[in-house]
Amino acid sequence: MNTSQRLVVVSNRLPVTVRSTGINICLEASGGGLVNALTPILEVTGGCWVGWTGTDFHETLIESLEQWSSERNYNLQPVFLTPAENAAYYRGFSNEIIWPLFHGLSSRCQFDSTYWTGYRAVNRKFADGVERVAGNRDFIWVHDYHLMMLAQDLRFRGLRQQLAYFHHIPFPPPDTFETLPWRSEVLRALLCFDLLGFQTPRDRRNFIESLHRCLPGVQVSGVGERLRVRFEDHWSSIGTYPISIDYAALAAEATGPDVTAAAEKIRQGCSGTAIILGVDRLDYTKGIPERLIAFQSLLQSNPGMRGRLTMIQIVVPSREDIPEYMQLRLRIERLVGCINGEYGSPGWVPIQYFYRAFSRTELIAFYRAAHVALITPLKDGMNLVAKEFCASRIDNRGVLVLSEFAGAAAEFRNGALLVNPYDTERVAEVVALALQMTESEQCARMELMRSHIQSNDVFRWSESIRTENTASPPADYQRQKAALQYAAGLLR
Ligand code: ADQ
């Protein structure tokens, strides 16, 4: 994309949350890294965001969305889904097949062919939405696993615009990927994009190996970070682009007096004990029960630490209508109750547990109050919480204990203490080491991570994808093609 090109962003959800207040509808801007990164660019380039409203068709909602768009330099193009479409495409194919499979938890998958049919149909519905708004020279940027078929649907309709795709979650190894009954269809559709971006070199490698395994005839050229793949006369660029955060905004907000006061209040609420912090969306991939068991093991094997540390575990509600997520919530709450019941004493509660969303200011205050951030997903595309924690540490203190299976581990090898989240006893030992780390070592590690995030923020991330040159196949192919054309001319 050149920087004057209009941008069309396509994601499962629009960057607004629809709230119905009786007969009225109001729209609230959604938070999150993606929205924060892309809306300033959309404001400059102009363009459109295509996504699901989270609702079925709603006449009044169209008016509200038009009103919202009229106050900005970009439009919101809604996709409405019926409850049946939602069940097959979102709850079914996206959440019961791709999400567990791509996080390496294939025993949780429900390979139901009606989910696949629904997923295909809804991707076509998104294609209708994109077709309605896309101009000839637009750069169309599709986000995440809900929309892996979209480029193919758009090409069938004759759209020639540049199409990019970013994969926010892990891409599994070929042995796992190939269990997907629709593996070739998905890979063929992904290769209709001109550019495919992954979070880590490992994800990109898994993708390329899956191509070799499942799509005979695929050709891969290039070395290092950027590869070119040819399949049926179409070239795609494949690269690694680790997503990040708005470092400057977060670091600035962390200096605010309200954050400082709130952090102090959190520390007082823990009676001045050392604070170990966990912050996650409710999800079985985040390793929350395993982390609580690690904390229990820490208390069990270190009686001297009892009464001198507090774990704060924040869980933001997510996918609450799915029974599996409710069971996870109950399991977490049972574990918190058991640990507090077993180890607590008058005046000391080992785990403070919150099941709700917090404002950005409140969250930053938790990051600033903590001594150790314990971020131990069983598998995670990136994990923005790890980056937010570091950006908030304007004092260059605090220790990040991070799962080696989070995408962020690839960038923080030298700053964080890496752990295997399944090895709960070792996690407990590493937390004990983190609590004893000298200030100078904390400072050296934290500075390393902060300066990395500062120079690789979310704006650099989006810029590197938008300016990636996808237009031409590699020079050797150009030369081969010219030679073949020349030879064909001689034979005529
Ligand atoms: P998520 O699985 O949602 O994202 P993550 O990257 O950690 O995971 O982002 C969570 C976001 O939610 C963070 O920005 C955090 O601040 C916010 N949050 C968490 N708890 C909160 C609370 N209680 N209140 C308010 N906000 C809270 C998916 C992939 C990740 C990938 C991202 C971005 O699963 O692997 O890093 O996309 O690509």
Side-chain angles (χ1 to χ4, degrees), residues 8 14-15 21 38 40 51 88 187 190 226 362 374 393 409 440 472 491:
V8 175
L14 282 173
T21 52
L38 297 179
L187 291 179
L190 283 172
R226 303 284 181 265
E362 289 170 316
L374 185 53
R393 295 317 297 242
S440 63
S472 50
L491 289 174

Side-chain angles (χ1 to χ4, degrees), residues 32-33 99 103 166 168-169 199 243 279-281 286 314-316 356-359 363 367 380-385 388:
W99 181 265
H103 285 86
F166 186 75
H168 289 257
I169 65 171
Q199 300 271 28
I243 198 169
V279 177
D280 310 84
R281 210 167 40 70
K286 301 291 181 184
I314 297 173
V315 179
V316 64
R356 63 190 167 91
F358 283 94
S359 71
L363 216 50
Y367 293 144
D380 217 333
M382 176 54 61
N383 196 294
L384 295 177
V385 171
E388 291 166 359

Side-chain angles (χ1 to χ4, degrees), residues 421-469:
Y422 292 96
D423 186 354
T424 53
E425 284 175 22
R426 178 67 191 150
V427 172
E429 285 167 17
V430 173
V431 172
L433 289 174
L435 289 167
Q436 287 154 19
M437 190 183 282
T438 61
E439 290 222 332
S440 63
E441 185 176 349
Q442 288 180 38
C443 194
R445 286 173 177 272
M446 192 50 83
E447 268 178 0
L448 211 62
M449 293 189 284
R450 282 169 59 77
S451 71
H452 176 82
I453 305 167
Q454 185 172 21
S455 39
N456 295 279
D457 67 3
V458 73
F459 301 106
R460 175 144 186 215
W461 168 77
S462 68
E463 197 61 16
S464 61
I465 292 178
R466 290 189 313 123
T467 53
E468 183 67 46
N469 175 21

